């Protein structure tokens, strides 16, 4: 019954903004690092951003620095990804994932994460 559910994706124009949500069911996010990954058409998944259980944030991709912000609301058992100044290169399926290890820092690779959502589609096009 452990689930992560992403929402908030859609179609936006270049320069627009959107906020993605990742809601957990069946477990609490309090002690877990949570990361956002994305998969562009025809490419593998790559890390976007991560937040630790102590709310330390790390950008896993240099391309999103200054544009994307990750945050968490433990009371709502939800992690967010605020995306600003979106570009066509940001198009893809966005996934959230939970790392339930004792690591106190964010890990970059998808193999480190134990639970995954089904993803939400973001399309940036004029």
């Amino acid at each position: 019954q452990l689930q992560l559910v992403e929402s908030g994706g859609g179609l936006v124009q270049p320069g627009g903004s959107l906020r993605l949500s990742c809601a957990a069911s069946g477990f609490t996010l309090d002690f877990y690092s949570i990361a956002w990954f994305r998969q562009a058409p025809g490419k593998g998944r790559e890390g976007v951003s991560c937040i630790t259980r102590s709310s330390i944030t790390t950008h896993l991709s240099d391309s999103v620095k200054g544009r994307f912000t990750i945050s968490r609301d433990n009371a709502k058992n939800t992690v967010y990804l605020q995306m600003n100044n979106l570009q066509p290169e940001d198009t893809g399926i966005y996934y959230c994932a939970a790392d339930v290890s004792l690591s106190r820092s964010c890990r970059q690779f998808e193999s480190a994460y134990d639970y995954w959502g089904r993803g939400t589609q973001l399309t940036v096009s004029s």
Side-chain angles (χ1 to χ4, degrees):
Q1 294 183 344
L2 303 179
Q3 292 183 316
L4 296 170
V5 180
E6 304 93 338
S7 62
L11 174 64
V12 298
Q13 294 183 336
S17 298
L18 206 63
R19 189 180 74 165
L20 305 182
S21 298
C22 173
S25 299
F27 68 102
T28 178
L29 297 178
D30 290 16
F31 303 108
Y32 304 153
S33 293
I34 308 296
W36 286 95
F37 288 78
R38 66 185 179 186
Q39 186 170 19
K43 299 182 179 180
R45 277 181 286 189
E46 62 177 353
V48 177
S49 191
C50 179
I51 185 167
T52 71
R53 66 189 188 189
S54 59
S55 296
I56 298 173
T57 61
T58 302
H59 293 296
L60 304 179
S61 173
D62 289 339
S63 67
V64 307
K65 291 181 179 178
R67 299 190 299 123
F68 290 12
T69 302
I70 189 171
S71 62
R72 68 191 304 157
D73 186 340
N74 288 342
K76 296 182 178 180
N77 217 23
T78 300
V79 171
Y80 304 97
L81 184 67
Q82 177 66 46
M83 305 179 294
N84 298 325
N85 192 24
L86 286 164
Q87 302 299 314
E89 305 86 76
D90 297 314
T91 293
I93 303 174
Y94 283 70
Y95 303 88
C96 65
D99 177 3
V100 301
S101 76
L102 296 178
S103 177
R104 289 177 290 183
S105 61
C106 286
R107 298 193 285 179
Q108 181 178 7
F109 304 106
E110 62 182 280
S111 61
Y113 295 86
D114 304 279
Y115 301 102
W116 292 79
R118 293 184 180 273
T120 185
Q121 176 71 45
L122 169 67
T123 301
V124 184
S125 177
S126 59

